[in-house]
Amino acid sequence: MNTATVLSARAATSKFWLIAAVGALISAIGFGSALYMEHHGHAVTGMTNQIVWGLPHVFAIFLIVAASGVLNVASIGSVFGKTAYKKRAPLSGLLTLAMLSGGLFVLMLDLGRADRVMIAATKYNFTSVFAWNVFLYSGMFGIVAVYLWVLMEKRLYPFAKPVGVAAFVWRLVLTTGTGSIFGFLISRNAYQSALLAPMFIIMSFAWGLAVFLITQAVMFRWNGKTLDPAILKRMKNLFGTFIAAVLYFLIVYHLTNLYFAKQVAFEKFILIDSGFAAIFWIGQVLIGALLPMAILYHPRLGQRMCAVTAAAVLVIVGAFCELYVFIIGGEAFPLDIFPGAEITSSFFDGQVATYSPSLPEFLLGLGGLGVAFMITLIGVRLISKFLPEDDAVQPDAATD
Amino acid sequence: MTENARRGFLAAGATFAGAIAVAPGLHLIAPALARGAGEPASNANRWGLLIDTNKCSASCDACVKACATENGITEQVADPRQRSQWIRKIDIKEKNGRQHSLPMMCQHCSDPPCVDVCPTGASMKRADGIVLVDRHVCIGCRYCMMACPYKARSFVHEPLTEQNPQVPRGIGCVEACTLCVHRVDKGQLPACVEACTEGAMLFGNLADPNSEISRRIAHEATTQVRADLKLNTGVRYQGI
């Protein structure tokens, strides 16, 4: 090994430790924020008795939904037999574990009594979607851990397909559970729809693939590798299809709401009258869907890795906007306690609820991203198999 | 002592003795039978309220004040949006211009959405229909608050001091009207009902067809708020 190689390896190691330190710091700040909130109570957050779920839930649900979606890359390989995706299955599994951990970190630490996490783990009410999710999330950790083991141990390769199918089914059920957290809320105009379960699944496809594309681009750049243009083309086309599907579900969701007279006022609120309208049209629709699709299907831009990565970043920005409008906007619209009547009270009945997120809750959410980042970083550093190693151009490239 | 005076004395004495003898039985017409210590709540009762909005004035909040005193909801919270409200007065203006004012609290549903969604079972319904939060099991996820159609639940955002020992409350937990369960179990009326001098609030046993509340619900027009949700509320309204 010559001196230049040694120096380059040392520089890469230093860079790794620097990045790891930043990730650890962000995670620690998130944990510190949770301790601060725990000590002072949720009074130090922007959440109130009117907006009961806030920014931490936006971060947590993004991470959990994207965690299940990113496993799709592995499923396309194991379940549907596409070779290019098989090479990416281990990284996809690692990202699932990392983001699920990050999401649960935020969700658990936002609890009013985070110290009672053992109660959440030992006492169940089986009519609660939340209680189902405790099983679905812990089961997901177990299945994906086994899946990773099977993918990395040559002797166990024959089991890759059945375990892959089990993981695929489990992730579909898990995202159905996450969508149903809202779908079963009968009292609020924004939710109470069976459409939310499939909508969350399709959202997870797009968001998960966005996270995967960004991670893959960074890893390839870090290792000085170039992604096969044919694989890039396949992945970006799939990505574009997922974004279009999310847009389709979004249109159907709002159109069905507009069809029901009782929902028209809410739709007017979200789409036209409130501050959420701007976030919806600019953040969710323009930045999160139309711009990325324009990039991906542009004849020249769509072939460039950096442009595809930029489209993935835009989709994630759009995802945060979408969850903000969905969760906060859905709560801000007043409850229809006396349909058709105007109501007022000292508890803000009949009024649009206001919400200003505070720094601690933002930092807690950011801490969740930090945890996901740290797990991914340590995983890819320790185990080289997480880096996708492509052969030549894949023979089944034309079939996607 | 004259004959008349003696007769008067004997009559008064007999009345007093009679009163002493009958008084213990008087609690039979009180709204609730006291429950012995360790004795479970019974589904022979389903406690409920009937609120006559025609008797409820917009300017009166005696029920709200009585609830706050009884349950120790006296903390000063800087952000009013973060204040706990177990009972609140709502002013309603219908499209035809008709106005009402009424107290709104936990409706003690027979099929409560808050109980359905609670992951740990902290939100629960007693056999006698009172919906409560077990403060030892609540993890503060606030899912019940998302599920309640009446915005009847509050989350405690700050550390609390000087609580009423009979009504434990605590930071990080969700809480709501308990129908003054600690009073009902002793055979007393909920504080709001007792404080309502207009007689707009009637407390009683919906499971007993002969109770006054059941008879009035059977013979007079009453309303369940958001009846479309079919939650079978324990709190009913008249006049809306």
Side-chain angles (χ1 to χ4, degrees):
Chain A
M1 198 181 281
N2 62 34
T3 320
T5 316
V6 171
L7 285 177
S8 153
R10 275 192 191 158
T13 307
S14 312
K15 218 167 20 168
F16 167 80
W17 283 112
L18 183 68
I19 293 170
V22 171
L25 185 68
I26 291 171
S27 309
I29 288 173
F31 189 69
S33 295
L35 285 179
Y36 178 71
M37 283 164 60
E38 202 274 338
H39 185 70
H40 294 278
H42 277 59
V44 296
T45 71
M47 289 176 275
T48 60
N49 284 327
Q50 324 304 319
I51 301 285
V52 298
W53 286 351
L55 209 52
H57 302 81
V58 171
F59 278 89
I61 291 171
F62 169 77
L63 282 163
I64 291 168
V65 171
S68 61
V70 79
L71 195 68
N72 251 31
V73 173
S75 301
I76 296 170
S78 298
V79 180
F80 302 105
K82 304 291 176 195
T83 316
Y85 287 92
K86 277 185 188 167
K87 310 273 185 188
R88 285 159 176 76
L91 179 61
S92 145
L94 174 70
L95 284 170
T96 297
L97 293 182
M99 283 198 286
L100 198 54
S101 306
L104 293 180
F105 171 89
V106 180
L107 210 55
M108 289 295 163
L109 290 177
D110 174 72
L111 292 176
R113 294 298 304 259
D115 56 315
R116 291 181 177 170
V117 69
M118 274 314 288
I119 291 178
T122 51
K123 282 183 84 83
Y124 300 107
N125 165 30
F126 287 104
T127 61
S128 168
V129 184
F130 259 11
W132 305 348
N133 284 350
V134 173
F135 284 98
L136 290 170
Y137 296 155
S138 48
M140 187 78 172
F141 276 112
I143 286 185
V144 175
V146 172
Y147 191 23
L148 280 178
W149 181 33
V150 167
L151 288 171
M152 290 184 174
E153 178 68 59
K154 231 174 196 166
R155 287 179 300 125
L156 300 174
Y157 280 0
F159 298 103
K161 183 150 188 176
V163 177
V165 169
F168 179 59
V169 171
W170 196 273
R171 64 120 311 189
L172 290 178
V173 177
L174 183 142
T175 323
T176 302
T178 311
S180 301
I181 288 174
F182 297 95
F184 288 0
L185 293 175
I186 51 162
S187 61
R188 295 183 186 259
N189 297 60
Y191 314 130
Q192 55 169 346
S193 166
L195 204 59
L196 294 181
M199 189 167 150
F200 266 63
I201 289 177
I202 202 67
M203 275 152 47
S204 81
F205 284 4
W207 302 352
L209 193 52
V211 171
F212 188 89
L213 287 168
I214 293 168
T215 314
Q216 176 179 256
V218 171
M219 284 175 74
F220 271 58
R221 195 182 170 91
W222 180 278
N223 291 286
K225 289 173 54 140
T226 312
L227 184 65
D228 183 337
I231 294 176
L232 180 68
K233 190 179 174 194
R234 291 171 60 175
M235 296 192 84
K236 71 104 187 170
N237 281 343
L238 185 66
F239 189 37
T241 311
F242 286 164
I243 300 168
V246 172
L247 203 54
Y248 165 77
F249 263 83
L250 197 66
I251 292 167
V252 173
Y253 165 76
H254 286 292
L255 281 180
T256 49
N257 268 353
L258 279 167
Y259 185 78
F260 300 115
K262 64 172 184 173
Q263 298 285 55
V264 170
F266 168 72
E267 285 299 318
K268 199 161 163 262
F269 169 77
I270 282 289
L271 302 180
I272 301 169
D273 280 349
S274 64
F276 297 102
I279 306 174
F280 175 84
W281 291 109
I282 297 171
Q284 193 176 333
V285 176
L286 183 65
I287 296 176
L290 299 180
L291 267 180
M293 287 212 301
I295 292 172
L296 294 174
Y297 291 114
H298 189 274
R300 280 195 311 280
L301 283 176
Q303 291 173 12
R304 294 174 58 188
M305 182 120 157
C306 59
V308 173
T309 312
V313 171
L314 291 178
V315 165
I316 292 175
V317 171
F320 274 88
C321 292
E322 180 166 1
L323 286 172
Y324 192 88
V325 170
F326 181 71
I327 298 173
I328 316 292
E331 292 176 82
F333 188 71
L335 277 180
D336 212 5
I337 303 178
F338 294 95
E342 279 176 37
I343 60 171
T344 51
S345 79
S346 60
F347 209 37
F348 309 95
D349 286 292
Q351 291 181 34
V352 170
T354 53
Y355 173 66
S356 322
S358 72
L359 189 62
E361 62 194 296
F362 171 71
L363 293 177
L364 171 61
L366 208 60
L369 296 182
V371 167
F373 175 74
M374 281 304 287
I375 293 174
T376 311
L377 190 71
I378 292 168
V380 297
R381 180 77 177 176
L382 290 181
I383 302 170
S384 60
K385 281 191 178 180
F386 286 125
L387 179 68
E389 293 284 356
D390 292 307
D391 306 328
V393 178
Q394 303 304 312
D396 58 7
T399 62
D400 289 339
Chain B
M1 188 180 275
T2 64
E3 191 62 21
N4 277 348
R6 186 179 296 112
R7 280 184 185 166
F9 175 77
L10 287 173
T15 307
F16 180 70
I20 294 273
V22 172
L26 277 179
H27 78 278
L28 289 173
I29 57 164
L33 280 173
R35 210 154 54 80
E39 189 186 329
S42 161
N43 60 8
N45 303 317
R46 187 186 172 206
W47 301 123
L49 289 173
L50 178 60
I51 297 165
D52 187 348
T53 60
N54 296 314
K55 294 179 182 169
C56 187
S57 152
S59 59
C60 175
D61 63 352
C63 53
V64 178
K65 285 184 179 141
C67 173
T69 308
E70 178 67 29
N71 295 297
I73 310 167
T74 50
E75 65 273 10
Q76 297 297 314
V77 178
D79 184 344
R81 296 170 306 169
Q82 292 183 332
R83 254 178 63 209
S84 278
Q85 294 215 24
W86 290 19
I87 181 172
R88 63 192 190 272
K89 287 295 297 289
I90 293 187
D91 295 319
I92 305 170
K93 192 174 170 189
E94 288 182 24
K95 276 189 181 145
N96 60 13
R98 222 177 136 211
Q99 298 192 15
H100 315 272
S101 178
L102 52 81
M104 172 60 61
M105 71 291 274
C106 172
Q107 300 289 292
H108 298 279
C109 311
S110 178
D111 298 305
C114 56
V115 173
D116 280 346
V117 301
C118 177
T120 62
S123 277
M124 46 111 173
K125 190 183 69 167
R126 292 203 332 178
D128 57 9
I130 299 180
V131 175
L132 296 171
V133 180
D134 183 340
R135 309 297 160 79
H136 298 288
V137 182
C138 176
I139 56 173
C141 70
R142 289 103 78 198
Y143 198 11
C144 56
M145 296 174 72
M146 292 289 282
C148 177
Y150 308 106
K151 205 158 88 168
R153 294 201 156 191
S154 295
F155 178 71
V156 181
H157 287 76
E158 290 181 0
L160 298 179
T161 52
E162 295 174 23
Q163 299 169 51
N164 177 350
Q166 288 181 307
V167 188
R169 306 171 59 213
I171 183 173
C173 284
V174 173
E175 56 184 18
C177 157
T178 65
L179 214 58
C180 280
V181 67
H182 58 288
R183 291 170 59 96
V184 170
D185 280 348
K186 286 191 286 191
Q188 299 171 340
L189 290 168
C192 56
V193 178
E194 198 173 82
C196 183
T197 51
E198 301 303 316
M201 300 176 87
L202 173 67
F203 174 80
N205 184 3
L206 295 166
D208 175 5
N210 297 315
S211 66
E212 189 184 351
I213 189 169
S214 293
R215 277 190 274 116
R216 279 184 58 187
I217 286 173
H219 296 107
E220 296 170 22
T222 60
T223 310
Q224 297 183 44
V225 177
R226 291 299 310 265
D228 56 314
L229 299 176
K230 297 188 173 11
L231 302 174
N232 186 8
T233 57
V235 179
R236 310 290 172 95
Y237 292 86
Q238 270 185 309
I240 54 169

